[in-house]
Amino acid sequence: MLPTIEWRGDHVVMIDQRRLPGEEIYLECRTAEDVAVAIEKMIIRGAPAIGVAAAFGVALGLSRVQNAAAAPDEFERVSARLHGTRPTARNLFWALERMRTAFERYRRLPLGELKAGLIREALDIEREDAEINRTIGRFGADLINDGDAVLTHCNAGGLATAAYGTAVGVIRSAFEQGKKIRVFADETRPFLQGARLTAWELEKLGIPYFVITDNMAGWLMKKGEIALAVVGADRIARNGDTANKIGTYSVAVLAKENAIPFYVAAPLSTFDFSLATGDAIPIEERSPLEVKEINGKLITPPGARVRNPAFDVTPASYIAAIITEKGIVRPPYEESLKALR
Amino acid sequence: MLPTIEWRGDHVVMIDQRRLPGEEIYLECRTAEDVAVAIEKMIIRGAPAIGVAAAFGVALGLSRVQNAAAAPDEFERVSARLHGTRPTARNLFWALERMRTAFERYRRLPLGELKAGLIREALDIEREDAEINRTIGRFGADLINDGDAVLTHCNAGGLATAAYGTAVGVIRSAFEQGKKIRVFADETRPFLQGARLTAWELEKLGIPYFVITDNMAGWLMKKGEIALAVVGADRIARNGDTANKIGTYSVAVLAKENAIPFYVAAPLSTFDFSLATGDAIPIEERSPLEVKEINGKLITPPGARVRNPAFDVTPASYIAAIITEKGIVRPPYEESLKALR
């Protein structure tokens, strides 16, 4: 499997996640603007992957600068452009802050070294994210027993990260340990990340799976067909409240009602320790057309009004544990996360 | 608005519910087999509408009989064919039992009178269902306050009944009383009855509505945007356990968690008093293609396995009240339903 995004010296290549699983098309981004548009249009999506893409976006933007004096302004312009692409995922802002720190570190060096330093930083972010996901996977695999059916929502797989995946990484790690497991993948309307992306990944990995519509998960839990749920995250407040793809809150409530553990898998770069609770996490509302059309064909009356919040916030009280690269964190999260840092 | 299904002397006409809202196409059914196929393919769907269709199917089947001696065998053949079309909706079996009673009543009369009697019985079932829905609507409207936002799942509207609708009938009745309400219509994957049919009906009725994906309902409840939920039913056991479109159970759990009343609206023909609880209600599992394809285009990898239970069972403990044509029934349902009968 090719990586989600790859640095190619003077541009990045990413797989177009809108076209999967039907078509495997790779797009070249040659400018920071190309990357910003790719994030906005969800050509690349998933909180950690967005962070990696934004880092490459900054590196690309600065690589075009012709003289050192223009670098600070260009850095601010490019950062602001990428900053405004999507509001919810913490990793985007985390990566931009890290690129800013790198910029400050290298800005007094000759322009060529500044450019090289920023590219190195972006590549570090990418490499570290892949390693972090493997570590999360190893920790999380302990929560999955031989024979378990695991529910996941949206795509928190290799495509949502630099590689390997967070929630799918946990599943994958258990599978690689030889545990006989099967996955229920919520299709995840409106963008169908589950039916399209998680299914595509699980297919390639040879992990047995079923795609279900989002409204089937509760009933399968009730029927005793699901042992646990594990999802990724877009932003986690310091009390453990977790923003993730719309529908995650419902999965968590249904899991609690059926006494099924509900886990979140996420790197520390997804945590926003500046937020006391999830109430302050901005929730993106996306285009009505994502709900009204499927494959470019209208499914509602033309005049239908719709809602399209792209994320929801699951209160920490529904979360049995959060799996990070530093270990598994249990409630009360405020205390256990403090200990982790 | 034309009725869902209409008797035309020697055939019935029904709107093709698979093609709405994009195309309003009417199909003619000239034989019982045509009607059976229409039910199987969900050209017509919705428990009460299926019951009406089956009654017309029997009437059509018997209208072809050439001599009185052949009538009993033909009745058995046609009944069995219609009986086997779909397993969950009680109204199908209820309507076939009623047609059997009519057949027994008229079988010793001249063939022409038998045929006319069966047609009359089917027309009675249709007319009564329309009246019953208006009565359900009047009772249920009391549960909706001015300014309420009402969530509904699937389509329990005019298209799911002879006319007017059960859950949508309740909404409609409140709207006709001048209450300012708005509706959130779950799109209801996989068949999209909400996005396609409920939206189409609400649009024609001028009732303000939003279509949402099924996984948004919980979050909107959490945000305080929904005052109550009302759904239809396919079969109700005598303890109040209710089979309805897949996803209904999840709506009920999420409503309970958010202290929002969850109501079921259904005629007495939907009740199965032979069943002590919902555990014995057969749940239809439909074709994988309904999940894997939308508008005929694959959304999953070609080899994906899926689940496709068409219904789920909501335990009575989640149901604040059941709205029937005899009035509003409250828990404990075993007792209150006994009183009703």
Side-chain angles (χ1 to χ4, degrees):
Chain A
M1 221 183 291
L2 278 170
T4 309
I5 179 167
E6 195 169 77
W7 180 258
R8 295 271 176 90
D10 64 346
H11 66 282
V12 293
V13 172
M14 53 180 80
I15 193 163
D16 187 344
Q17 300 196 24
R18 301 169 305 177
R19 314 283 282 273
L20 288 170
E23 298 168 288
E24 297 184 17
I25 290 172
Y26 291 84
L27 297 178
E28 292 185 359
C29 292
R30 303 204 153 261
T31 65
E33 179 61 24
D34 289 348
V35 173
V37 169
I39 294 171
E40 284 170 344
K41 293 191 171 171
M42 295 174 70
I43 290 166
I44 190 164
R45 30 62 55 200
I50 290 172
V52 172
F56 283 133
V58 171
L60 273 179
L62 271 288
S63 72
R64 300 282 185 113
V65 171
Q66 299 296 329
N67 64 79
D73 281 359
E74 185 60 8
F75 178 84
E76 294 305 332
R77 200 190 60 77
V78 160
S79 283
R81 174 70 183 95
L82 290 160
H83 198 280
T85 49
R86 299 193 68 191
T88 306
R90 170 63 191 147
N91 310 62
L92 170 64
F93 311 110
W94 171 88
L96 291 173
E97 285 159 24
R98 200 164 141 175
M99 293 304 284
R100 177 176 296 277
T101 305
F103 180 78
E104 296 300 335
R105 192 187 311 137
Y106 302 129
R107 64 184 293 180
R108 288 176 221 300
L109 299 183
L111 184 57
E113 290 179 40
L114 168 60
K115 292 179 180 182
L118 291 176
I119 292 168
R120 234 172 19 243
E121 190 70 14
L123 287 167
D124 281 352
I125 288 172
E126 183 186 35
R127 183 181 41 76
E128 290 165 23
D129 187 61
E131 289 168 7
I132 284 166
N133 283 318
R134 285 193 168 74
T135 308
I136 289 172
R138 271 195 300 278
F139 281 122
D142 290 345
L143 300 170
I144 300 181
N145 293 313
D146 194 39
D148 277 353
V150 185
L151 176 73
T152 191
H153 188 72
C154 194
N155 171 266
L159 289 165
T161 60
Y164 203 75
T166 52
V168 171
V170 168
I171 290 165
R172 207 168 150 170
S173 182
F175 181 75
E176 287 165 2
Q177 291 174 1
K179 290 174 184 167
K180 284 197 171 40
I181 57 172
R182 62 197 177 284
V183 178
F184 286 97
D186 278 351
E187 67 174 2
T188 318
R189 280 280 290 147
F191 202 67
L192 296 168
Q193 291 94 335
R196 299 191 301 103
L197 309 179
T198 301
W200 183 74
E201 290 192 25
L202 294 173
E203 185 92 31
K204 291 205 178 241
L205 294 166
I207 301 176
Y209 71 95
F210 292 88
V211 173
I212 57 174
T213 61
D214 299 306
N215 56 22
M216 289 173 192
W219 176 239
L220 293 177
M221 290 185 198
K222 176 88 168 62
K223 297 288 281 179
E225 298 197 33
I226 290 169
L228 70 145
V230 58
V231 301
D234 286 83
R235 196 190 294 218
I236 305 176
R238 65 169 188 267
N239 73 339
D241 289 355
T242 296
N244 190 46
K245 181 51 54 195
I246 187 72
T248 302
Y249 165 73
S250 297
V251 170
V253 169
L254 288 158
K256 181 191 164 204
E257 190 75 4
N258 288 286
I260 290 164
F262 173 86
Y263 301 115
V264 171
L268 288 175
S269 53
T270 299
F271 287 75
D272 186 344
F273 294 108
S274 76
L275 298 181
T277 73
D279 293 343
I281 299 175
I283 300 296
E284 177 182 16
E285 185 112 10
R286 291 183 61 86
S287 163
L289 289 182
E290 289 184 356
V291 173
K292 293 177 73 166
E293 294 183 351
I294 301 178
N295 290 327
K297 208 175 150 189
L298 205 56
I299 57 165
T300 64
R305 287 192 296 170
V306 307
R307 291 291 299 275
N308 190 14
F311 304 94
D312 58 28
V313 177
T314 300
S317 57
Y318 295 95
I319 303 170
I322 303 177
I323 309 155
T324 77
E325 69 271 34
K326 294 277 186 78
I328 294 175
V329 184
R330 301 265 180 189
Y333 292 108
E334 182 106 33
E335 286 75 355
S336 52
L337 287 170
K338 205 172 280 175
L340 203 75
R341 291 157 75 193
Chain B
M1 220 184 292
L2 277 170
T4 309
I5 179 167
E6 196 169 77
W7 179 257
R8 295 270 176 90
D10 64 345
H11 66 282
V12 293
V13 172
M14 53 180 81
I15 192 162
D16 188 343
Q17 301 198 24
R18 301 169 306 178
R19 314 283 282 272
L20 290 170
E23 299 168 288
E24 297 184 18
I25 291 172
Y26 291 84
L27 297 179
E28 292 184 0
C29 292
R30 303 204 154 262
T31 64
E33 178 62 23
D34 289 349
V35 174
V37 169
I39 295 171
E40 283 170 343
K41 292 191 171 172
M42 294 174 71
I43 291 166
I44 189 164
R45 32 60 56 199
I50 290 173
V52 173
F56 283 134
V58 170
L60 274 180
L62 272 287
S63 72
R64 300 284 186 112
V65 171
Q66 299 296 331
N67 65 79
D73 279 0
E74 185 60 8
F75 179 83
E76 294 305 333
R77 201 189 61 76
V78 159
S79 282
R81 174 71 183 95
L82 290 161
H83 197 280
T85 49
R86 297 193 69 192
T88 305
R90 170 65 191 146
N91 310 63
L92 170 63
F93 309 109
W94 171 88
L96 291 174
E97 284 160 23
R98 199 164 140 174
M99 293 303 284
R100 177 176 296 276
T101 304
F103 180 78
E104 296 300 334
R105 193 186 313 137
Y106 302 128
R107 65 185 293 181
R108 288 179 219 298
L109 301 183
L111 185 58
E113 289 180 42
L114 168 62
K115 292 179 181 182
L118 291 176
I119 292 168
R120 235 172 21 244
E121 188 71 14
L123 287 167
D124 280 352
I125 289 174
E126 183 186 34
R127 183 182 41 75
E128 290 166 22
D129 187 62
E131 289 168 7
I132 284 167
N133 284 317
R134 283 191 170 75
T135 309
I136 289 173
R138 271 195 301 278
F139 281 122
D142 290 344
L143 300 170
I144 300 181
N145 293 313
D146 194 38
D148 277 353
V150 184
L151 176 73
T152 191
H153 188 72
C154 194
N155 170 265
L159 290 166
T161 59
Y164 203 75
T166 53
V168 171
V170 168
I171 290 165
R172 205 166 153 172
S173 182
F175 182 75
E176 288 164 3
Q177 291 174 359
K179 290 175 184 166
K180 282 196 171 42
I181 57 171
R182 61 196 178 286
V183 178
F184 286 97
D186 278 349
E187 67 175 2
T188 318
R189 280 279 290 145
F191 202 68
L192 296 167
Q193 290 94 334
R196 300 191 301 103
L197 309 179
T198 301
W200 182 76
E201 289 192 27
L202 294 173
E203 185 91 32
K204 292 207 178 237
L205 294 166
I207 302 176
Y209 71 95
F210 293 87
V211 173
I212 57 173
T213 61
D214 300 305
N215 57 22
M216 289 173 191
W219 177 238
L220 293 176
M221 290 185 199
K222 176 89 168 60
K223 298 288 279 178
E225 298 196 34
I226 290 169
L228 70 144
V230 59
V231 301
D234 287 83
R235 193 189 297 217
I236 305 176
R238 67 170 186 266
N239 72 339
D241 289 355
T242 296
N244 189 45
K245 181 50 53 196
I246 187 73
T248 302
Y249 165 73
S250 296
V251 171
V253 169
L254 288 157
K256 181 190 163 204
E257 190 76 2
N258 289 286
I260 291 164
F262 173 87
Y263 301 115
V264 171
L268 289 176
S269 53
T270 299
F271 288 74
D272 186 345
F273 294 108
S274 76
L275 298 181
T277 75
D279 293 343
I281 299 175
I283 300 297
E284 177 182 16
E285 184 111 11
R286 290 183 60 85
S287 163
L289 288 181
E290 290 184 356
V291 173
K292 294 178 72 168
E293 294 183 352
I294 302 179
N295 290 328
K297 210 177 148 188
L298 204 57
I299 59 164
T300 65
R305 285 191 297 171
V306 308
R307 292 292 298 275
N308 190 14
F311 304 94
D312 59 27
V313 177
T314 300
S317 56
Y318 295 96
I319 303 169
I322 304 177
I323 309 155
T324 78
E325 70 270 34
K326 295 275 185 79
I328 294 175
V329 184
R330 300 265 181 190
Y333 292 108
E334 182 106 34
E335 285 77 354
S336 51
L337 286 170
K338 204 172 282 176
L340 204 76
R341 291 157 77 192

